[in-house]
Amino acid sequence: MARTVIIEATGGPEVLTLVDRPVGDPGAGEVRIAHRACGLNFIDVYQRSGLYPMALPAALGMEASGVVEAVGHGVTHVKPGDRVAYAAQPPGAYAEARVMPAAQVCPLPDGISFDEGAAMMLKGMTVQYLFRRTTPLKRGDTVLFHAAAGGVGLIACQWARAEGITLIATAGSDEKCRLALDHGASHAINYRTEDFAARVRDLTGGKGVDVVMDAVGKDTFDGSLNSLKPFGMFISFGNASGKVPPFDIGLLAAKGSLKITRQTLFTHIADPTTCQAMAQDLFAMVTSGAVKIRIDQRFPLERVADAHRALEARATTGQTILTL
């Protein structure tokens, strides 16, 4: 048996319930993991609230770290006793232990702690695909990155600095702006006190940025389009403020033949070989010291509802994990 967080109905943090569930043995292509820590992400909120529908009852959580206890037939890249971490479907990481598909489970280097492993996989591989796989980026390019003091954002600030990319950060307070600057952002804009699109134009001499990376959604969409240079790329990868409403595609022509894409990590990691390669790239950035994983909030598993409340209130910085 393992303590596991489930929901039986969608709603607010109060629907999160901690129950004892049998774990069982792994079947072919599966692995059983005893977790050491679990990561917290906005996708968990979307699933809990019903924005991303799930069959109920459902377990939650998309990333964790731990030790392999058993493997099923055909699993060769990990073995019992290995330290591992993952970001993967199906949900179920908010648990002391679980059986899950092995394909996206990645060997965790000894130089990376279990807490760091749980905190970095979904957010770190998100940054990897944003900078390496979604649109060509080169040294000297300029990126506007929203919510830059959050878990994905602080990794992105460091990644941009390491790659020689100018990153203009937005955040919701002066303190969060300073945090983004401390982690490698070239500029930071408090979107609560400034018109970020106008400030971006000032910072770029009126040209706009090459790429916008936006996980906020509805609240920043119009300003993001207004921040791009002609032929610029808008990368949407989240909806923290709500879904972007339908819009006239002609706006993209009127604002300079802009490009737009809606990305999700799980498309990128669906191929196991690609997933392992992305994880290795992320691990190399962390073990080299170019990217440090900052964990600012830790909640015990039984306080998962409080963790969700903090995340939704935008009261968190860096990474948040659940401890076991």
Side-chain angles (χ1 to χ4, degrees):
M1 304 294 285
R3 293 188 304 159
T4 303
V5 175
I6 66 166
I7 59 170
E8 296 180 323
T10 58
E14 69 279 356
V15 303
L16 297 163
T17 305
L18 189 61
V19 300
D20 286 322
R21 271 189 160 186
V23 180
D25 295 319
E30 292 183 330
V31 61
R32 186 174 73 229
I33 301 173
H35 287 153
R36 295 294 185 266
C38 315
L40 189 75
N41 296 280
F42 250 103
I43 190 173
D44 309 342
V45 174
Y46 303 154
Q47 291 169 343
R48 187 210 74 218
S49 68
L51 180 64
Y52 291 178
M54 302 170 67
L56 300 176
L60 290 186
M62 305 298 287
E63 70 177 339
S65 65
V67 175
V68 175
E69 291 188 324
V71 301
H73 178 72
V75 177
T76 59
H77 70 290
V78 294
K79 64 184 185 303
D82 282 355
R83 303 172 74 251
V84 294
Y86 65 85
Q89 295 178 324
Y94 291 0
E96 292 176 321
R98 71 181 296 198
V99 169
M100 63 179 292
Q104 280 74 37
V105 174
C106 303
L108 184 66
D110 289 339
I112 299 175
S113 71
F114 285 120
D115 282 6
E116 290 169 328
M120 69 187 282
M121 295 300 289
L122 192 147
K123 292 171 279 286
M125 288 200 292
T126 294
V127 174
Q128 200 276 347
Y129 81 66
L130 289 172
F131 280 83
R132 298 264 207 254
R133 295 174 53 83
T134 306
T135 192
L137 282 172
K138 62 184 183 302
R139 183 174 293 273
D141 282 348
T142 302
V143 168
L144 173 63
F145 200 102
H146 291 299
V152 179
L154 291 184
I155 295 175
C157 290
Q158 296 173 81
W159 202 295
R161 178 172 58 191
E163 299 284 311
I165 292 166
T166 298
L167 187 144
I168 301 174
T170 73
S173 70
D174 291 343
E175 180 184 14
K176 288 185 175 183
C177 285
R178 285 192 296 273
L179 194 58
L181 291 169
D182 289 345
H183 283 74
S186 302
H187 309 279
I189 303 167
N190 183 341
Y191 65 79
R192 296 190 189 278
T193 60
E194 291 188 81
D195 179 338
F196 73 81
R199 181 67 176 138
V200 165
R201 291 290 172 182
D202 289 342
L203 291 170
T204 59
K207 295 178 181 178
V209 298
D210 298 286
V211 179
V212 172
M213 300 177 180
D214 188 345
V216 175
K218 175 175 64 68
D219 289 354
T220 50
F221 182 71
D222 291 340
S224 292
L225 292 186
N226 292 333
S227 299
L228 283 164
K229 64 173 56 172
F231 307 108
M233 170 66 85
F234 178 99
I235 305 173
S236 171
F237 66 102
N239 320 282
S241 67
K243 294 176 69 172
V244 173
F247 69 97
D248 179 0
I249 197 170
L251 282 174
L252 303 181
K255 293 181 181 294
S257 299
L258 304 180
K259 295 167 282 188
I260 189 165
T261 180
R262 177 60 167 93
Q263 297 281 303
T264 176
L265 173 64
F266 300 106
T267 307
H268 287 273
I269 64 173
D271 175 73
T273 301
T274 300
C275 176
Q276 297 294 329
M278 290 173 64
Q280 288 300 317
D281 192 16
L282 171 62
F283 293 153
M285 291 291 280
V286 173
T287 56
S288 74
V291 170
K292 296 185 184 339
I293 304 303
R294 178 180 175 130
I295 302 171
D296 286 345
Q297 297 82 214
R298 288 175 168 85
F299 293 86
L301 187 64
E302 56 269 21
R303 289 185 56 208
V304 61
D306 290 336
H308 274 233
R309 291 186 186 98
L311 187 64
E312 289 182 279
R314 301 189 191 182
T316 65
T317 55
Q319 324 293 333
T320 304
I321 64 170
L322 301 173
T323 57
L324 300 166

